[in-house]
Amino acid sequence: MTVTVRPARPDELAAVGELTLAAYAADSGMTREHPYAASLLDAGARLRDAELLVADQGGAVVGTVTYVRPGTPFAEVGGKGEAEVRMLAVSPSARGAGVGRVLSEACVERARAEGCRAVVLSSASWMLAAHRLYGRLGFRRWPERDWSPRPDIDLLAFRLDL
């Protein structure tokens, strides 16, 4: 079945937040009590301050990503002229079907169309499947931008020059 990437609708925000947390929980065991869970659940903030995209498969939302323009509130590791990918999440039941690839490619296409010079992102050190996807898309590790929001979390930076 075809996957279509489109902007999230306001009536989907709760479901998008739950899907995002479920995807992170499937990989890391993250619970609602984790300090980052509230951010994952708050799809409304991503809709307001970035571009919240969803992967729609036959009317069902099976994935989501946040496309972040340079200098906006959700930018973390990006600088001038660098768009950012945040909170890429695919429903555990839809994994392996190319949903993450389609969502990532949509962000790269937006960045190119907007004249950005690169797309950057951070990924937790344990997100090995995501790291493989980024490599297949042409992203390269960018260690000089690695960072840790907390002592127990190491985020690895990746960059795709456009």
Side-chain angles (χ1 to χ4, degrees):
M1 189 175 295
T2 303
V3 175
T4 304
V5 176
R6 61 171 174 76
R9 298 187 311 253
D11 65 309
E12 297 172 319
L13 296 178
V16 168
E18 292 293 339
L19 182 150
T20 308
L21 180 57
Y24 277 65
D27 288 336
S28 69
M30 183 180 293
T31 66
R32 291 176 116 52
E33 291 74 34
H34 189 281
Y36 193 48
S39 295
L40 297 174
L41 289 165
D42 190 1
R46 298 194 299 277
L47 180 68
R48 181 183 63 246
D49 293 330
E51 186 171 358
L52 181 62
L53 303 173
V54 296
D56 184 309
Q57 189 174 44
V61 174
V62 295
T64 182
V65 68
T66 303
Y67 174 73
V68 181
R69 289 177 178 83
T72 59
F74 274 89
E76 286 182 331
V77 296
K80 185 175 180 173
E82 299 169 342
E84 200 161 337
V85 174
R86 298 270 324 265
M87 299 180 198
L88 175 65
V90 176
S91 170
S93 64
R95 291 193 175 172
V99 175
R101 173 180 277 280
V102 171
L103 286 164
S104 298
E105 288 172 342
C107 292
V108 171
E109 289 169 15
R110 278 169 171 69
R112 276 196 178 107
E114 294 174 1
C116 293
R117 60 185 169 92
V119 178
V120 299
L121 60 90
S122 295
S123 183
S125 58
W126 47 264
M127 294 180 161
L128 301 179
H131 301 172
R132 287 189 297 274
L133 168 65
Y134 303 140
R136 287 192 303 269
L137 292 170
F139 283 82
R140 298 290 171 245
R141 280 281 291 115
W142 198 22
E144 55 268 27
R145 294 271 179 103
D146 289 354
W147 63 292
S148 296
R150 296 177 12 170
D152 60 333
I153 298 175
D154 293 320
L155 297 178
L156 308 179
F158 293 80
R159 177 185 178 92
L160 175 66
D161 290 314
L162 300 178

mmCIF file of all heavy atoms in Angstrom, residues 25-58:
data_model
loop_
_atom_site.group_PDB
_atom_site.id
_atom_site.type_symbol
_atom_site.label_atom_id
_atom_site.label_comp_id
_atom_site.label_asym_id
_atom_site.label_seq_id
_atom_site.Cartn_x
_atom_site.Cartn_y
_atom_site.Cartn_z
ATOM 1 N N ALA A 25 9.415 4.100 22.620
ATOM 2 C CA ALA A 25 9.293 3.059 23.638
ATOM 3 C C ALA A 25 9.679 1.694 23.081
ATOM 4 O O ALA A 25 10.300 0.882 23.774
ATOM 5 C CB ALA A 25 7.870 3.031 24.187
ATOM 6 N N ALA A 26 9.322 1.436 21.832
ATOM 7 C CA ALA A 26 9.649 0.147 21.215
ATOM 8 C C ALA A 26 11.156 -0.058 21.119
ATOM 9 O O ALA A 26 11.643 -1.182 21.220
ATOM 10 C CB ALA A 26 9.006 0.055 19.833
ATOM 11 N N ASP A 27 11.895 1.030 20.939
ATOM 12 C CA ASP A 27 13.349 0.930 20.805
ATOM 13 C C ASP A 27 14.086 1.005 22.127
ATOM 14 O O ASP A 27 15.146 0.420 22.282
ATOM 15 C CB ASP A 27 13.872 2.048 19.895
ATOM 16 C CG ASP A 27 13.510 1.832 18.446
ATOM 17 O OD1 ASP A 27 13.269 0.677 18.050
ATOM 18 O OD2 ASP A 27 13.455 2.825 17.707
ATOM 19 N N SER A 28 13.552 1.782 23.068
ATOM 20 C CA SER A 28 14.322 2.064 24.277
ATOM 21 C C SER A 28 13.622 1.686 25.574
ATOM 22 O O SER A 28 14.225 1.796 26.637
ATOM 23 C CB SER A 28 14.636 3.558 24.336
ATOM 24 O OG SER A 28 13.434 4.290 24.562
ATOM 25 N N GLY A 29 12.348 1.320 25.479
ATOM 26 C CA GLY A 29 11.599 1.063 26.705
ATOM 27 C C GLY A 29 11.147 2.338 27.391
ATOM 28 O O GLY A 29 10.706 2.311 28.543
ATOM 29 N N MET A 30 11.221 3.469 26.679
ATOM 30 C CA MET A 30 10.829 4.757 27.258
ATOM 31 C C MET A 30 9.373 4.695 27.732
ATOM 32 O O MET A 30 8.510 4.181 27.038
ATOM 33 C CB MET A 30 10.994 5.875 26.224
ATOM 34 C CG MET A 30 10.678 7.254 26.780
ATOM 35 S SD MET A 30 10.868 8.562 25.552
ATOM 36 C CE MET A 30 12.625 8.537 25.291
ATOM 37 N N THR A 31 9.139 5.242 28.911
ATOM 38 C CA THR A 31 7.787 5.291 29.462
ATOM 39 C C THR A 31 7.302 6.737 29.515
ATOM 40 O O THR A 31 8.067 7.674 29.297
ATOM 41 C CB THR A 31 7.766 4.719 30.893
ATOM 42 O OG1 THR A 31 8.541 5.592 31.733
ATOM 43 C CG2 THR A 31 8.322 3.299 30.939
ATOM 44 N N ARG A 32 6.036 6.900 29.843
ATOM 45 C CA ARG A 32 5.451 8.241 29.969
ATOM 46 C C ARG A 32 6.146 9.063 31.056
ATOM 47 O O ARG A 32 6.078 10.281 31.042
ATOM 48 C CB ARG A 32 3.962 8.131 30.293
ATOM 49 C CG ARG A 32 3.121 7.598 29.158
ATOM 50 C CD ARG A 32 1.665 7.425 29.574
ATOM 51 N NE ARG A 32 0.709 8.255 28.897
ATOM 52 C CZ ARG A 32 0.552 8.410 27.599
ATOM 53 N NH1 ARG A 32 1.369 7.825 26.778
ATOM 54 N NH2 ARG A 32 -0.385 9.159 27.092
ATOM 55 N N GLU A 33 6.808 8.419 31.991
ATOM 56 C CA GLU A 33 7.472 9.119 33.082
ATOM 57 C C GLU A 33 8.837 9.665 32.683
ATOM 58 O O GLU A 33 9.414 10.474 33.403
ATOM 59 C CB GLU A 33 7.617 8.184 34.288
ATOM 60 C CG GLU A 33 6.295 7.845 34.963
ATOM 61 C CD GLU A 33 5.444 6.869 34.151
ATOM 62 O OE1 GLU A 33 6.001 5.976 33.473
ATOM 63 O OE2 GLU A 33 4.206 7.019 34.185
ATOM 64 N N HIS A 34 9.376 9.238 31.576
ATOM 65 C CA HIS A 34 10.691 9.711 31.135
ATOM 66 C C HIS A 34 10.618 11.215 30.862
ATOM 67 O O HIS A 34 9.614 11.705 30.343
ATOM 68 C CB HIS A 34 11.106 8.958 29.872
ATOM 69 C CG HIS A 34 12.514 9.208 29.463
ATOM 70 N ND1 HIS A 34 12.917 10.350 28.800
ATOM 71 C CD2 HIS A 34 13.634 8.468 29.654
ATOM 72 C CE1 HIS A 34 14.212 10.291 28.574
ATOM 73 N NE2 HIS A 34 14.677 9.165 29.085
ATOM 74 N N PRO A 35 11.668 11.958 31.192
ATOM 75 C CA PRO A 35 11.641 13.415 30.993
ATOM 76 C C PRO A 35 11.365 13.851 29.549
ATOM 77 O O PRO A 35 10.792 14.912 29.327
ATOM 78 C CB PRO A 35 13.039 13.863 31.436
ATOM 79 C CG PRO A 35 13.518 12.792 32.350
ATOM 80 C CD PRO A 35 12.887 11.514 31.881
ATOM 81 N N TYR A 36 11.749 13.056 28.565
ATOM 82 C CA TYR A 36 11.547 13.434 27.162
ATOM 83 C C TYR A 36 10.157 13.044 26.647
ATOM 84 O O TYR A 36 9.723 13.534 25.611
ATOM 85 C CB TYR A 36 12.631 12.778 26.309
ATOM 86 C CG TYR A 36 12.743 13.305 24.899
ATOM 87 C CD1 TYR A 36 12.779 14.671 24.629
ATOM 88 C CD2 TYR A 36 12.842 12.424 23.826
ATOM 89 C CE1 TYR A 36 12.901 15.153 23.337
ATOM 90 C CE2 TYR A 36 12.970 12.899 22.525
ATOM 91 C CZ TYR A 36 13.000 14.255 22.292
ATOM 92 O OH TYR A 36 13.119 14.731 21.014
ATOM 93 N N ALA A 37 9.451 12.199 27.367
ATOM 94 C CA ALA A 37 8.143 11.717 26.906
ATOM 95 C C ALA A 37 7.158 12.862 26.683
ATOM 96 O O ALA A 37 6.400 12.850 25.707
ATOM 97 C CB ALA A 37 7.571 10.701 27.887
ATOM 98 N N ALA A 38 7.155 13.853 27.545
ATOM 99 C CA ALA A 38 6.224 14.979 27.384
ATOM 100 C C ALA A 38 6.462 15.704 26.058
ATOM 101 O O ALA A 38 5.505 16.103 25.382
ATOM 102 C CB ALA A 38 6.349 15.946 28.554
ATOM 103 N N SER A 39 7.718 15.849 25.658
ATOM 104 C CA SER A 39 8.026 16.489 24.374
ATOM 105 C C SER A 39 7.550 15.631 23.210
ATOM 106 O O SER A 39 7.040 16.156 22.212
ATOM 107 C CB SER A 39 9.527 16.729 24.252
ATOM 108 O OG SER A 39 9.954 17.657 25.214
ATOM 109 N N LEU A 40 7.734 14.335 23.314
ATOM 110 C CA LEU A 40 7.288 13.432 22.248
ATOM 111 C C LEU A 40 5.767 13.457 22.103
ATOM 112 O O LEU A 40 5.245 13.409 20.981
ATOM 113 C CB LEU A 40 7.766 12.007 22.522
ATOM 114 C CG LEU A 40 9.274 11.798 22.538
ATOM 115 C CD1 LEU A 40 9.598 10.372 22.959
ATOM 116 C CD2 LEU A 40 9.893 12.127 21.189
ATOM 117 N N LEU A 41 5.077 13.538 23.209
ATOM 118 C CA LEU A 41 3.612 13.556 23.190
ATOM 119 C C LEU A 41 3.034 14.884 22.715
ATOM 120 O O LEU A 41 1.909 14.932 22.216
ATOM 121 C CB LEU A 41 3.072 13.232 24.587
ATOM 122 C CG LEU A 41 3.253 11.782 25.042
ATOM 123 C CD1 LEU A 41 3.024 11.663 26.546
ATOM 124 C CD2 LEU A 41 2.332 10.855 24.270
ATOM 125 N N ASP A 42 3.800 15.969 22.828
ATOM 126 C CA ASP A 42 3.300 17.302 22.504
ATOM 127 C C ASP A 42 3.429 17.620 21.013
ATOM 128 O O ASP A 42 4.208 18.481 20.587
ATOM 129 C CB ASP A 42 4.024 18.356 23.338
ATOM 130 C CG ASP A 42 3.383 19.722 23.237
ATOM 131 O OD1 ASP A 42 2.358 19.871 22.528
ATOM 132 O OD2 ASP A 42 3.910 20.659 23.865
ATOM 133 N N ALA A 43 2.639 16.936 20.206
ATOM 134 C CA ALA A 43 2.646 17.183 18.760
ATOM 135 C C ALA A 43 2.132 18.577 18.432
ATOM 136 O O ALA A 43 2.499 19.151 17.402
ATOM 137 C CB ALA A 43 1.816 16.115 18.047
ATOM 138 N N GLY A 44 1.317 19.151 19.279
ATOM 139 C CA GLY A 44 0.800 20.503 19.063
ATOM 140 C C GLY A 44 1.917 21.532 18.998
ATOM 141 O O GLY A 44 1.879 22.453 18.175
ATOM 142 N N ALA A 45 2.916 21.399 19.855
ATOM 143 C CA ALA A 45 4.051 22.329 19.824
ATOM 144 C C ALA A 45 4.813 22.193 18.518
ATOM 145 O O ALA A 45 5.251 23.186 17.930
ATOM 146 C CB ALA A 45 4.979 22.076 21.011
ATOM 147 N N ARG A 46 4.960 20.960 18.034
ATOM 148 C CA ARG A 46 5.675 20.747 16.767
ATOM 149 C C ARG A 46 4.883 21.316 15.593
ATOM 150 O O ARG A 46 5.461 21.877 14.668
ATOM 151 C CB ARG A 46 5.970 19.264 16.584
ATOM 152 C CG ARG A 46 6.877 18.739 17.688
ATOM 153 C CD ARG A 46 7.476 17.396 17.424
ATOM 154 N NE ARG A 46 6.599 16.274 17.236
ATOM 155 C CZ ARG A 46 6.045 15.556 18.206
ATOM 156 N NH1 ARG A 46 6.231 15.910 19.478
ATOM 157 N NH2 ARG A 46 5.304 14.514 17.931
ATOM 158 N N LEU A 47 3.566 21.210 15.647
ATOM 159 C CA LEU A 47 2.724 21.781 14.600
ATOM 160 C C LEU A 47 2.827 23.303 14.609
ATOM 161 O O LEU A 47 2.892 23.944 13.562
ATOM 162 C CB LEU A 47 1.270 21.352 14.795
ATOM 163 C CG LEU A 47 0.268 21.875 13.771
ATOM 164 C CD1 LEU A 47 0.524 21.254 12.403
ATOM 165 C CD2 LEU A 47 -1.156 21.584 14.214
ATOM 166 N N ARG A 48 2.891 23.880 15.780
ATOM 167 C CA ARG A 48 2.935 25.338 15.929
ATOM 168 C C ARG A 48 4.301 25.929 15.550
ATOM 169 O O ARG A 48 4.387 26.953 14.882
ATOM 170 C CB ARG A 48 2.597 25.702 17.374
ATOM 171 C CG ARG A 48 2.573 27.211 17.668
ATOM 172 C CD ARG A 48 2.307 27.502 19.137
ATOM 173 N NE ARG A 48 3.376 26.982 19.989
ATOM 174 C CZ ARG A 48 3.216 25.999 20.873
ATOM 175 N NH1 ARG A 48 2.038 25.420 21.054
ATOM 176 N NH2 ARG A 48 4.242 25.589 21.606
ATOM 177 N N ASP A 49 5.394 25.276 15.972
ATOM 178 C CA ASP A 49 6.716 25.877 15.866
ATOM 179 C C ASP A 49 7.634 25.247 14.818
ATOM 180 O O ASP A 49 8.798 25.623 14.711
ATOM 181 C CB ASP A 49 7.419 25.819 17.226
ATOM 182 C CG ASP A 49 6.733 26.693 18.259
ATOM 183 O OD1 ASP A 49 6.135 27.716 17.869
ATOM 184 O OD2 ASP A 49 6.791 26.351 19.457
ATOM 185 N N ALA A 50 7.120 24.277 14.070
ATOM 186 C CA ALA A 50 7.901 23.611 13.026
ATOM 187 C C ALA A 50 6.914 23.107 11.985
ATOM 188 O O ALA A 50 5.773 23.577 11.944
ATOM 189 C CB ALA A 50 8.717 22.463 13.635
ATOM 190 N N GLU A 51 7.330 22.173 11.166
ATOM 191 C CA GLU A 51 6.407 21.550 10.214
ATOM 192 C C GLU A 51 6.259 20.095 10.608
ATOM 193 O O GLU A 51 7.222 19.314 10.535
ATOM 194 C CB GLU A 51 6.919 21.670 8.778
ATOM 195 C CG GLU A 51 5.903 21.159 7.784
ATOM 196 C CD GLU A 51 6.266 21.460 6.337
ATOM 197 O OE1 GLU A 51 7.288 22.099 6.079
ATOM 198 O OE2 GLU A 51 5.494 21.031 5.468
ATOM 199 N N LEU A 52 5.085 19.734 11.060
ATOM 200 C CA LEU A 52 4.794 18.378 11.514
ATOM 201 C C LEU A 52 4.205 17.590 10.345
ATOM 202 O O LEU A 52 3.125 17.919 9.848
ATOM 203 C CB LEU A 52 3.820 18.414 12.695
ATOM 204 C CG LEU A 52 3.440 17.072 13.304
ATOM 205 C CD1 LEU A 52 4.665 16.356 13.869
ATOM 206 C CD2 LEU A 52 2.387 17.276 14.391
ATOM 207 N N LEU A 53 4.924 16.575 9.916
ATOM 208 C CA LEU A 53 4.490 15.746 8.798
ATOM 209 C C LEU A 53 4.089 14.366 9.299
ATOM 210 O O LEU A 53 4.616 13.886 10.308
ATOM 211 C CB LEU A 53 5.625 15.597 7.780
ATOM 212 C CG LEU A 53 6.182 16.896 7.206
ATOM 213 C CD1 LEU A 53 7.420 16.611 6.352
ATOM 214 C CD2 LEU A 53 5.121 17.621 6.408
ATOM 215 N N VAL A 54 3.171 13.746 8.569
ATOM 216 C CA VAL A 54 2.783 12.378 8.875
ATOM 217 C C VAL A 54 2.881 11.529 7.620
ATOM 218 O O VAL A 54 2.776 12.029 6.496
ATOM 219 C CB VAL A 54 1.356 12.269 9.464
ATOM 220 C CG1 VAL A 54 1.265 12.981 10.800
ATOM 221 C CG2 VAL A 54 0.310 12.789 8.496
ATOM 222 N N ALA A 55 3.077 10.241 7.830
ATOM 223 C CA ALA A 55 3.011 9.253 6.763
ATOM 224 C C ALA A 55 1.643 8.604 6.865
ATOM 225 O O ALA A 55 1.287 8.027 7.895
ATOM 226 C CB ALA A 55 4.110 8.211 6.929
ATOM 227 N N ASP A 56 0.870 8.743 5.812
ATOM 228 C CA ASP A 56 -0.500 8.235 5.756
ATOM 229 C C ASP A 56 -0.508 7.009 4.845
ATOM 230 O O ASP A 56 -0.086 7.074 3.693
ATOM 231 C CB ASP A 56 -1.406 9.337 5.193
ATOM 232 C CG ASP A 56 -2.861 8.961 5.176
ATOM 233 O OD1 ASP A 56 -3.200 7.872 4.669
ATOM 234 O OD2 ASP A 56 -3.686 9.772 5.630
ATOM 235 N N GLN A 57 -0.998 5.910 5.372
ATOM 236 C CA GLN A 57 -1.100 4.683 4.599
ATOM 237 C C GLN A 57 -2.549 4.206 4.659
ATOM 238 O O GLN A 57 -3.007 3.716 5.682
ATOM 239 C CB GLN A 57 -0.156 3.612 5.153
ATOM 240 C CG GLN A 57 -0.052 2.384 4.287
ATOM 241 C CD GLN A 57 1.007 1.443 4.808
ATOM 242 O OE1 GLN A 57 1.093 1.187 6.004
ATOM 243 N NE2 GLN A 57 1.818 0.910 3.911
ATOM 244 N N GLY A 58 -3.271 4.443 3.582
ATOM 245 C CA GLY A 58 -4.670 4.034 3.538
ATOM 246 C C GLY A 58 -5.533 4.711 4.578
ATOM 247 O O GLY A 58 -6.478 4.108 5.085
#
